[in-house]
Amino acid sequence: MDDLFLKIIDRQIPADIIFEDDQVIAFNDISPQAPTHFLVVPKKRIPTLNDITDEDRLVVGHMVQTAASLAQQMGFAADGYRTVFNCNEHGGQTVYHIHLHVLGGKPMGWPPYQETLKQPVAQ
Ligand code: 5GP
C-alpha cells in the first residue's frame, strides 16, 4: 500500500515529528503555507473524511484536541489559527490518509474560494 503518512509513522521516511502518542502523530508540513504549519495524522489509515465510521469518532476527536493542545504549547492558540481537513479532489486532498492541517503565526484569509463572476458586457 502506497501510503506516505504510514511510511512516516513507520519511520521509513523522515519527518520533523513534533508529537506522537498511541493514536496520532504530528509533524511539520514539508511545504509550509504559514509560519507554523503542521499535520495531525491518525496512526490508523482512513483514506478520506468520507471513510470515517462510528469507531473512528474517538481518534478524530483526539486529532482535533491534539491540534488545539499543540497550538497552546506552541504559543499561538490565543492569537488563533486555522485547521483544515481537505477531502478528495475538490477539497484539494493529495495524500489519501486523513490529516488535520494546523496553520498559525499570521492572520489567515477567508473565504478560500470566490466565484469568478462573469461581468455582463455593457451595451
Ligand atoms: P493535502 O493536500 O492532502 O490536504 O495535504 C497533504 C500535505 O502533505 C501537503 O500540505 C504537503 O505539503 C504535505 N506533504 C506531502 N508530502 C510530505 C512529506 O513527505 N513530508 C511532510 N512532512 N509533508 C508532506
mmCIF file of all heavy atoms in Angstrom, residues 40-88:
data_model
loop_
_atom_site.group_PDB
_atom_site.id
_atom_site.type_symbol
_atom_site.label_atom_id
_atom_site.label_comp_id
_atom_site.label_asym_id
_atom_site.label_seq_id
_atom_site.Cartn_x
_atom_site.Cartn_y
_atom_site.Cartn_z
ATOM 1 N N VAL A 40 -1.734 16.810 11.810
ATOM 2 C CA VAL A 40 -2.046 15.814 12.833
ATOM 3 C C VAL A 40 -2.675 14.624 12.105
ATOM 4 O O VAL A 40 -3.673 14.788 11.385
ATOM 5 C CB VAL A 40 -2.992 16.369 13.910
ATOM 6 C CG1 VAL A 40 -3.224 15.312 14.988
ATOM 7 C CG2 VAL A 40 -2.435 17.656 14.523
ATOM 8 N N VAL A 41 -2.077 13.464 12.274
ATOM 9 C CA VAL A 41 -2.393 12.292 11.449
ATOM 10 C C VAL A 41 -2.718 11.100 12.356
ATOM 11 O O VAL A 41 -1.943 10.802 13.273
ATOM 12 C CB VAL A 41 -1.166 11.949 10.567
ATOM 13 C CG1 VAL A 41 -1.442 10.724 9.707
ATOM 14 C CG2 VAL A 41 -0.745 13.149 9.721
ATOM 15 N N PRO A 42 -3.821 10.400 12.102
ATOM 16 C CA PRO A 42 -4.105 9.202 12.904
ATOM 17 C C PRO A 42 -3.183 8.056 12.483
ATOM 18 O O PRO A 42 -2.821 7.958 11.300
ATOM 19 C CB PRO A 42 -5.561 8.880 12.550
ATOM 20 C CG PRO A 42 -5.737 9.390 11.156
ATOM 21 C CD PRO A 42 -4.855 10.625 11.064
ATOM 22 N N LYS A 43 -2.831 7.206 13.419
ATOM 23 C CA LYS A 43 -1.991 6.054 13.055
ATOM 24 C C LYS A 43 -2.788 5.036 12.261
ATOM 25 O O LYS A 43 -2.220 4.297 11.451
ATOM 26 C CB LYS A 43 -1.377 5.444 14.312
ATOM 27 C CG LYS A 43 -0.344 6.387 14.923
ATOM 28 C CD LYS A 43 0.512 5.742 15.969
ATOM 29 C CE LYS A 43 1.673 6.678 16.312
ATOM 30 N NZ LYS A 43 2.505 6.144 17.406
ATOM 31 N N LYS A 44 -4.111 5.025 12.467
ATOM 32 C CA LYS A 44 -4.976 4.166 11.660
ATOM 33 C C LYS A 44 -5.150 4.799 10.288
ATOM 34 O O LYS A 44 -5.394 6.004 10.183
ATOM 35 C CB LYS A 44 -6.339 4.018 12.339
ATOM 36 C CG LYS A 44 -7.349 3.266 11.485
ATOM 37 C CD LYS A 44 -8.712 3.177 12.149
ATOM 38 C CE LYS A 44 -9.701 2.483 11.208
ATOM 39 N NZ LYS A 44 -11.056 2.386 11.794
ATOM 40 N N ARG A 45 -5.060 4.004 9.235
ATOM 41 C CA ARG A 45 -5.253 4.560 7.888
ATOM 42 C C ARG A 45 -6.739 4.691 7.584
ATOM 43 O O ARG A 45 -7.469 3.706 7.496
ATOM 44 C CB ARG A 45 -4.596 3.694 6.829
ATOM 45 C CG ARG A 45 -4.819 4.288 5.438
ATOM 46 C CD ARG A 45 -4.008 3.631 4.358
ATOM 47 N NE ARG A 45 -4.102 4.412 3.144
ATOM 48 C CZ ARG A 45 -4.961 4.151 2.161
ATOM 49 N NH1 ARG A 45 -5.796 3.147 2.249
ATOM 50 N NH2 ARG A 45 -4.987 4.923 1.084
ATOM 51 N N ILE A 46 -7.175 5.936 7.440
ATOM 52 C CA ILE A 46 -8.528 6.268 6.997
ATOM 53 C C ILE A 46 -8.298 7.128 5.755
ATOM 54 O O ILE A 46 -7.730 8.216 5.875
ATOM 55 C CB ILE A 46 -9.285 7.058 8.084
ATOM 56 C CG1 ILE A 46 -9.305 6.305 9.414
ATOM 57 C CG2 ILE A 46 -10.706 7.388 7.612
ATOM 58 C CD1 ILE A 46 -9.752 7.151 10.613
ATOM 59 N N PRO A 47 -8.658 6.677 4.568
ATOM 60 C CA PRO A 47 -8.253 7.410 3.350
ATOM 61 C C PRO A 47 -8.802 8.829 3.251
ATOM 62 O O PRO A 47 -8.054 9.758 2.930
ATOM 63 C CB PRO A 47 -8.775 6.528 2.209
ATOM 64 C CG PRO A 47 -8.884 5.163 2.798
ATOM 65 C CD PRO A 47 -9.264 5.375 4.229
ATOM 66 N N THR A 48 -10.095 9.014 3.505
ATOM 67 C CA THR A 48 -10.701 10.347 3.387
ATOM 68 C C THR A 48 -11.710 10.538 4.514
ATOM 69 O O THR A 48 -12.119 9.584 5.180
ATOM 70 C CB THR A 48 -11.452 10.545 2.046
ATOM 71 O OG1 THR A 48 -12.720 9.900 2.120
ATOM 72 C CG2 THR A 48 -10.663 10.018 0.857
ATOM 73 N N LEU A 49 -12.175 11.770 4.679
ATOM 74 C CA LEU A 49 -13.220 12.029 5.683
ATOM 75 C C LEU A 49 -14.458 11.196 5.394
ATOM 76 O O LEU A 49 -15.186 10.819 6.312
ATOM 77 C CB LEU A 49 -13.617 13.508 5.684
ATOM 78 C CG LEU A 49 -12.708 14.524 6.363
ATOM 79 C CD1 LEU A 49 -13.457 15.839 6.555
ATOM 80 C CD2 LEU A 49 -12.189 14.035 7.703
ATOM 81 N N ASN A 50 -14.705 10.877 4.119
ATOM 82 C CA ASN A 50 -15.883 10.084 3.751
ATOM 83 C C ASN A 50 -15.812 8.659 4.275
ATOM 84 O O ASN A 50 -16.818 7.949 4.268
ATOM 85 C CB ASN A 50 -16.034 10.041 2.222
ATOM 86 C CG ASN A 50 -16.298 11.407 1.637
ATOM 87 O OD1 ASN A 50 -16.801 12.280 2.313
ATOM 88 N ND2 ASN A 50 -15.940 11.592 0.370
ATOM 89 N N ASP A 51 -14.641 8.225 4.697
ATOM 90 C CA ASP A 51 -14.465 6.846 5.163
ATOM 91 C C ASP A 51 -14.536 6.714 6.679
ATOM 92 O O ASP A 51 -14.388 5.610 7.212
ATOM 93 C CB ASP A 51 -13.113 6.309 4.661
ATOM 94 C CG ASP A 51 -13.031 6.334 3.158
ATOM 95 O OD1 ASP A 51 -13.889 5.699 2.519
ATOM 96 O OD2 ASP A 51 -12.144 7.020 2.620
ATOM 97 N N ILE A 52 -14.757 7.827 7.379
ATOM 98 C CA ILE A 52 -14.837 7.772 8.846
ATOM 99 C C ILE A 52 -16.079 6.995 9.277
ATOM 100 O O ILE A 52 -17.171 7.195 8.739
ATOM 101 C CB ILE A 52 -14.864 9.199 9.431
ATOM 102 C CG1 ILE A 52 -13.502 9.866 9.254
ATOM 103 C CG2 ILE A 52 -15.252 9.191 10.902
ATOM 104 C CD1 ILE A 52 -13.497 11.336 9.614
ATOM 105 N N THR A 53 -15.895 6.090 10.232
ATOM 106 C CA THR A 53 -17.006 5.308 10.763
ATOM 107 C C THR A 53 -17.205 5.655 12.247
ATOM 108 O O THR A 53 -16.395 6.376 12.832
ATOM 109 C CB THR A 53 -16.709 3.794 10.654
ATOM 110 O OG1 THR A 53 -15.588 3.505 11.499
ATOM 111 C CG2 THR A 53 -16.405 3.390 9.227
ATOM 112 N N ASP A 54 -18.250 5.092 12.816
ATOM 113 C CA ASP A 54 -18.521 5.344 14.239
ATOM 114 C C ASP A 54 -17.316 4.984 15.105
ATOM 115 O O ASP A 54 -17.024 5.670 16.083
ATOM 116 C CB ASP A 54 -19.730 4.536 14.713
ATOM 117 C CG ASP A 54 -21.038 5.159 14.273
ATOM 118 O OD1 ASP A 54 -21.011 6.285 13.736
ATOM 119 O OD2 ASP A 54 -22.079 4.520 14.455
ATOM 120 N N GLU A 55 -16.608 3.938 14.734
ATOM 121 C CA GLU A 55 -15.480 3.511 15.580
ATOM 122 C C GLU A 55 -14.299 4.486 15.499
ATOM 123 O O GLU A 55 -13.370 4.396 16.296
ATOM 124 C CB GLU A 55 -15.022 2.092 15.225
ATOM 125 C CG GLU A 55 -14.261 1.958 13.938
ATOM 126 C CD GLU A 55 -13.694 0.539 13.740
ATOM 127 O OE1 GLU A 55 -14.277 -0.412 14.292
ATOM 128 O OE2 GLU A 55 -12.676 0.416 13.040
ATOM 129 N N ASP A 56 -14.341 5.417 14.541
ATOM 130 C CA ASP A 56 -13.249 6.392 14.398
ATOM 131 C C ASP A 56 -13.513 7.690 15.160
ATOM 132 O O ASP A 56 -12.669 8.589 15.161
ATOM 133 C CB ASP A 56 -13.034 6.728 12.915
ATOM 134 C CG ASP A 56 -12.667 5.507 12.099
ATOM 135 O OD1 ASP A 56 -11.920 4.659 12.626
ATOM 136 O OD2 ASP A 56 -13.132 5.399 10.952
ATOM 137 N N ARG A 57 -14.692 7.797 15.781
ATOM 138 C CA ARG A 57 -15.042 9.074 16.426
ATOM 139 C C ARG A 57 -14.011 9.508 17.458
ATOM 140 O O ARG A 57 -13.651 10.685 17.526
ATOM 141 C CB ARG A 57 -16.390 8.939 17.139
ATOM 142 C CG ARG A 57 -17.558 9.064 16.215
ATOM 143 C CD ARG A 57 -18.781 9.292 17.045
ATOM 144 N NE ARG A 57 -19.823 8.370 16.668
ATOM 145 C CZ ARG A 57 -20.970 8.268 17.319
ATOM 146 N NH1 ARG A 57 -21.193 8.973 18.399
ATOM 147 N NH2 ARG A 57 -21.885 7.437 16.905
ATOM 148 N N LEU A 58 -13.557 8.559 18.263
ATOM 149 C CA LEU A 58 -12.619 8.940 19.326
ATOM 150 C C LEU A 58 -11.302 9.434 18.753
ATOM 151 O O LEU A 58 -10.752 10.442 19.215
ATOM 152 C CB LEU A 58 -12.371 7.764 20.272
ATOM 153 C CG LEU A 58 -13.466 7.509 21.297
ATOM 154 C CD1 LEU A 58 -13.118 6.276 22.141
ATOM 155 C CD2 LEU A 58 -13.646 8.725 22.206
ATOM 156 N N VAL A 59 -10.798 8.741 17.728
ATOM 157 C CA VAL A 59 -9.492 9.153 17.197
ATOM 158 C C VAL A 59 -9.602 10.489 16.467
ATOM 159 O O VAL A 59 -8.688 11.328 16.555
ATOM 160 C CB VAL A 59 -8.843 8.057 16.317
ATOM 161 C CG1 VAL A 59 -9.539 7.893 14.980
ATOM 162 C CG2 VAL A 59 -7.363 8.381 16.087
ATOM 163 N N VAL A 60 -10.723 10.732 15.792
ATOM 164 C CA VAL A 60 -10.873 12.024 15.105
ATOM 165 C C VAL A 60 -11.003 13.148 16.137
ATOM 166 O O VAL A 60 -10.407 14.219 15.984
ATOM 167 C CB VAL A 60 -12.062 11.981 14.124
ATOM 168 C CG1 VAL A 60 -12.320 13.357 13.522
ATOM 169 C CG2 VAL A 60 -11.787 10.973 13.004
ATOM 170 N N GLY A 61 -11.731 12.900 17.197
ATOM 171 C CA GLY A 61 -11.803 13.886 18.286
ATOM 172 C C GLY A 61 -10.434 14.116 18.903
ATOM 173 O O GLY A 61 -10.056 15.254 19.212
ATOM 174 N N HIS A 62 -9.676 13.042 19.026
ATOM 175 C CA HIS A 62 -8.328 13.171 19.596
ATOM 176 C C HIS A 62 -7.417 13.982 18.680
ATOM 177 O O HIS A 62 -6.568 14.746 19.156
ATOM 178 C CB HIS A 62 -7.765 11.775 19.854
ATOM 179 C CG HIS A 62 -6.448 11.780 20.557
ATOM 180 N ND1 HIS A 62 -6.256 12.406 21.767
ATOM 181 C CD2 HIS A 62 -5.244 11.258 20.222
ATOM 182 C CE1 HIS A 62 -4.989 12.261 22.134
ATOM 183 N NE2 HIS A 62 -4.363 11.562 21.205
ATOM 184 N N MET A 63 -7.606 13.842 17.358
ATOM 185 C CA MET A 63 -6.825 14.658 16.408
ATOM 186 C C MET A 63 -7.085 16.149 16.654
ATOM 187 O O MET A 63 -6.153 16.956 16.690
ATOM 188 C CB MET A 63 -7.211 14.326 14.966
ATOM 189 C CG MET A 63 -6.772 12.961 14.484
ATOM 190 S SD MET A 63 -7.553 12.557 12.901
ATOM 191 C CE MET A 63 -6.744 13.727 11.808
ATOM 192 N N VAL A 64 -8.358 16.493 16.804
ATOM 193 C CA VAL A 64 -8.711 17.904 16.983
ATOM 194 C C VAL A 64 -8.167 18.412 18.318
ATOM 195 O O VAL A 64 -7.602 19.516 18.405
ATOM 196 C CB VAL A 64 -10.245 18.084 16.888
ATOM 197 C CG1 VAL A 64 -10.632 19.528 17.147
ATOM 198 C CG2 VAL A 64 -10.751 17.635 15.513
ATOM 199 N N GLN A 65 -8.315 17.603 19.350
ATOM 200 C CA GLN A 65 -7.820 18.006 20.670
ATOM 201 C C GLN A 65 -6.297 18.142 20.663
ATOM 202 O O GLN A 65 -5.738 19.065 21.267
ATOM 203 C CB GLN A 65 -8.258 16.982 21.717
ATOM 204 C CG GLN A 65 -8.049 17.437 23.138
ATOM 205 C CD GLN A 65 -8.662 16.478 24.132
ATOM 206 O OE1 GLN A 65 -8.747 15.277 23.880
ATOM 207 N NE2 GLN A 65 -9.091 17.006 25.262
ATOM 208 N N THR A 66 -5.625 17.256 19.932
ATOM 209 C CA THR A 66 -4.163 17.335 19.820
ATOM 210 C C THR A 66 -3.750 18.619 19.112
ATOM 211 O O THR A 66 -2.790 19.305 19.509
ATOM 212 C CB THR A 66 -3.619 16.105 19.068
ATOM 213 O OG1 THR A 66 -3.953 14.931 19.810
ATOM 214 C CG2 THR A 66 -2.112 16.185 18.889
ATOM 215 N N ALA A 67 -4.475 18.982 18.054
ATOM 216 C CA ALA A 67 -4.180 20.221 17.327
ATOM 217 C C ALA A 67 -4.273 21.416 18.262
ATOM 218 O O ALA A 67 -3.363 22.267 18.305
ATOM 219 C CB ALA A 67 -5.151 20.383 16.158
ATOM 220 N N ALA A 68 -5.350 21.484 19.031
ATOM 221 C CA ALA A 68 -5.546 22.615 19.942
ATOM 222 C C ALA A 68 -4.498 22.622 21.050
ATOM 223 O O ALA A 68 -3.966 23.688 21.419
ATOM 224 C CB ALA A 68 -6.953 22.557 20.535
ATOM 225 N N SER A 69 -4.173 21.451 21.551
ATOM 226 C CA SER A 69 -3.183 21.354 22.620
ATOM 227 C C SER A 69 -1.797 21.789 22.127
ATOM 228 O O SER A 69 -1.059 22.518 22.820
ATOM 229 C CB SER A 69 -3.163 19.910 23.125
ATOM 230 O OG SER A 69 -2.099 19.701 23.978
ATOM 231 N N LEU A 70 -1.431 21.380 20.908
ATOM 232 C CA LEU A 70 -0.128 21.774 20.359
ATOM 233 C C LEU A 70 -0.091 23.279 20.072
ATOM 234 O O LEU A 70 0.926 23.936 20.303
ATOM 235 C CB LEU A 70 0.188 20.961 19.097
ATOM 236 C CG LEU A 70 0.524 19.486 19.359
ATOM 237 C CD1 LEU A 70 0.623 18.719 18.032
ATOM 238 C CD2 LEU A 70 1.828 19.337 20.141
ATOM 239 N N ALA A 71 -1.205 23.822 19.587
ATOM 240 C CA ALA A 71 -1.267 25.272 19.347
ATOM 241 C C ALA A 71 -1.042 26.026 20.658
ATOM 242 O O ALA A 71 -0.340 27.042 20.702
ATOM 243 C CB ALA A 71 -2.612 25.648 18.721
ATOM 244 N N GLN A 72 -1.639 25.510 21.716
ATOM 245 C CA GLN A 72 -1.456 26.120 23.041
ATOM 246 C C GLN A 72 0.017 26.062 23.450
ATOM 247 O O GLN A 72 0.618 27.064 23.845
ATOM 248 C CB GLN A 72 -2.323 25.356 24.049
ATOM 249 C CG GLN A 72 -2.406 25.973 25.421
ATOM 250 C CD GLN A 72 -3.415 27.102 25.465
ATOM 251 O OE1 GLN A 72 -4.473 27.013 24.864
ATOM 252 N NE2 GLN A 72 -3.085 28.166 26.153
ATOM 253 N N GLN A 73 0.587 24.865 23.333
ATOM 254 C CA GLN A 73 2.003 24.679 23.749
ATOM 255 C C GLN A 73 2.950 25.520 22.900
ATOM 256 O O GLN A 73 3.985 25.985 23.383
ATOM 257 C CB GLN A 73 2.399 23.212 23.604
ATOM 258 C CG GLN A 73 1.794 22.285 24.642
ATOM 259 C CD GLN A 73 2.067 20.826 24.307
ATOM 260 O OE1 GLN A 73 3.147 20.474 23.864
ATOM 261 N NE2 GLN A 73 1.069 19.980 24.514
ATOM 262 N N MET A 74 2.603 25.714 21.623
ATOM 263 C CA MET A 74 3.491 26.445 20.722
ATOM 264 C C MET A 74 3.262 27.953 20.803
ATOM 265 O O MET A 74 3.980 28.721 20.156
ATOM 266 C CB MET A 74 3.329 25.925 19.296
ATOM 267 C CG MET A 74 3.802 24.484 19.162
ATOM 268 S SD MET A 74 3.270 23.674 17.640
ATOM 269 C CE MET A 74 4.642 23.986 16.596
ATOM 270 N N GLY A 75 2.239 28.356 21.559
ATOM 271 C CA GLY A 75 2.087 29.763 21.893
ATOM 272 C C GLY A 75 1.261 30.596 20.931
ATOM 273 O O GLY A 75 1.266 31.821 21.038
ATOM 274 N N PHE A 76 0.523 29.960 19.991
ATOM 275 C CA PHE A 76 -0.286 30.769 19.084
ATOM 276 C C PHE A 76 -1.782 30.507 19.222
ATOM 277 O O PHE A 76 -2.575 30.987 18.401
ATOM 278 C CB PHE A 76 0.178 30.617 17.635
ATOM 279 C CG PHE A 76 0.115 29.206 17.080
ATOM 280 C CD1 PHE A 76 -1.044 28.713 16.523
ATOM 281 C CD2 PHE A 76 1.237 28.389 17.110
ATOM 282 C CE1 PHE A 76 -1.109 27.435 15.999
ATOM 283 C CE2 PHE A 76 1.194 27.099 16.601
ATOM 284 C CZ PHE A 76 0.012 26.624 16.047
ATOM 285 N N ALA A 77 -2.178 29.784 20.258
ATOM 286 C CA ALA A 77 -3.603 29.455 20.422
ATOM 287 C C ALA A 77 -4.440 30.705 20.677
ATOM 288 O O ALA A 77 -5.530 30.855 20.105
ATOM 289 C CB ALA A 77 -3.783 28.454 21.560
ATOM 290 N N ALA A 78 -3.943 31.592 21.512
ATOM 291 C CA ALA A 78 -4.742 32.776 21.845
ATOM 292 C C ALA A 78 -4.888 33.700 20.636
ATOM 293 O O ALA A 78 -5.970 34.270 20.403
ATOM 294 C CB ALA A 78 -4.110 33.528 23.014
ATOM 295 N N ASP A 79 -3.836 33.853 19.842
ATOM 296 C CA ASP A 79 -3.938 34.676 18.630
ATOM 297 C C ASP A 79 -4.890 34.038 17.627
ATOM 298 O O ASP A 79 -5.593 34.738 16.890
ATOM 299 C CB ASP A 79 -2.557 34.843 17.978
ATOM 300 C CG ASP A 79 -1.706 35.871 18.698
ATOM 301 O OD1 ASP A 79 -2.268 36.696 19.441
ATOM 302 O OD2 ASP A 79 -0.476 35.832 18.520
ATOM 303 N N GLY A 80 -4.873 32.724 17.566
ATOM 304 C CA GLY A 80 -5.762 31.993 16.670
ATOM 305 C C GLY A 80 -5.004 31.261 15.585
ATOM 306 O O GLY A 80 -3.800 31.478 15.377
ATOM 307 N N TYR A 81 -5.717 30.396 14.907
ATOM 308 C CA TYR A 81 -5.082 29.539 13.891
ATOM 309 C C TYR A 81 -6.176 28.933 13.030
ATOM 310 O O TYR A 81 -7.370 29.067 13.315
ATOM 311 C CB TYR A 81 -4.229 28.447 14.567
ATOM 312 C CG TYR A 81 -4.938 27.641 15.625
ATOM 313 C CD1 TYR A 81 -5.535 26.421 15.328
ATOM 314 C CD2 TYR A 81 -5.044 28.114 16.932
ATOM 315 C CE1 TYR A 81 -6.189 25.683 16.308
ATOM 316 C CE2 TYR A 81 -5.693 27.389 17.913
ATOM 317 C CZ TYR A 81 -6.268 26.167 17.595
ATOM 318 O OH TYR A 81 -6.923 25.451 18.556
ATOM 319 N N ARG A 82 -5.767 28.320 11.947
ATOM 320 C CA ARG A 82 -6.691 27.684 11.005
ATOM 321 C C ARG A 82 -6.485 26.176 11.051
ATOM 322 O O ARG A 82 -5.340 25.714 11.043
ATOM 323 C CB ARG A 82 -6.395 28.224 9.592
ATOM 324 C CG ARG A 82 -7.131 27.575 8.426
ATOM 325 C CD ARG A 82 -8.614 27.946 8.331
ATOM 326 N NE ARG A 82 -8.923 29.350 8.553
ATOM 327 C CZ ARG A 82 -8.801 30.339 7.648
ATOM 328 N NH1 ARG A 82 -8.408 30.057 6.423
ATOM 329 N NH2 ARG A 82 -9.097 31.582 7.956
ATOM 330 N N THR A 83 -7.584 25.413 11.087
ATOM 331 C CA THR A 83 -7.499 23.960 10.954
ATOM 332 C C THR A 83 -8.274 23.559 9.709
ATOM 333 O O THR A 83 -9.354 24.112 9.438
ATOM 334 C CB THR A 83 -8.068 23.225 12.186
ATOM 335 O OG1 THR A 83 -9.390 23.685 12.426
ATOM 336 C CG2 THR A 83 -7.217 23.438 13.412
ATOM 337 N N VAL A 84 -7.727 22.619 8.954
ATOM 338 C CA VAL A 84 -8.337 22.233 7.668
ATOM 339 C C VAL A 84 -8.213 20.730 7.455
ATOM 340 O O VAL A 84 -7.129 20.153 7.620
ATOM 341 C CB VAL A 84 -7.617 22.941 6.491
ATOM 342 C CG1 VAL A 84 -8.205 22.493 5.151
ATOM 343 C CG2 VAL A 84 -7.680 24.451 6.615
ATOM 344 N N PHE A 85 -9.335 20.115 7.079
ATOM 345 C CA PHE A 85 -9.329 18.757 6.523
ATOM 346 C C PHE A 85 -9.681 18.906 5.043
ATOM 347 O O PHE A 85 -10.800 19.343 4.721
ATOM 348 C CB PHE A 85 -10.443 17.906 7.144
ATOM 349 C CG PHE A 85 -10.164 17.289 8.480
ATOM 350 C CD1 PHE A 85 -10.787 17.776 9.621
ATOM 351 C CD2 PHE A 85 -9.350 16.172 8.600
ATOM 352 C CE1 PHE A 85 -10.588 17.177 10.859
ATOM 353 C CE2 PHE A 85 -9.141 15.566 9.831
ATOM 354 C CZ PHE A 85 -9.758 16.069 10.962
ATOM 355 N N ASN A 86 -8.788 18.587 4.155
ATOM 356 C CA ASN A 86 -9.138 18.569 2.738
ATOM 357 C C ASN A 86 -9.698 17.192 2.388
ATOM 358 O O ASN A 86 -9.181 16.179 2.853
ATOM 359 C CB ASN A 86 -7.897 18.859 1.883
ATOM 360 C CG ASN A 86 -7.406 20.284 2.053
ATOM 361 O OD1 ASN A 86 -8.206 21.197 2.238
ATOM 362 N ND2 ASN A 86 -6.097 20.478 2.012
ATOM 363 N N CYS A 87 -10.744 17.172 1.572
ATOM 364 C CA CYS A 87 -11.353 15.891 1.206
ATOM 365 C C CYS A 87 -11.511 15.777 -0.301
ATOM 366 O O CYS A 87 -12.195 16.599 -0.920
ATOM 367 C CB CYS A 87 -12.708 15.733 1.887
ATOM 368 S SG CYS A 87 -13.494 14.139 1.514
ATOM 369 N N ASN A 88 -10.846 14.762 -0.857
ATOM 370 C CA ASN A 88 -10.973 14.418 -2.280
ATOM 371 C C ASN A 88 -10.559 15.581 -3.190
ATOM 372 O O ASN A 88 -9.978 16.578 -2.732
ATOM 373 C CB ASN A 88 -12.377 13.907 -2.583
ATOM 374 C CG ASN A 88 -12.520 12.422 -2.200
ATOM 375 O OD1 ASN A 88 -11.537 11.716 -2.071
ATOM 376 N ND2 ASN A 88 -13.749 11.977 -2.028
#
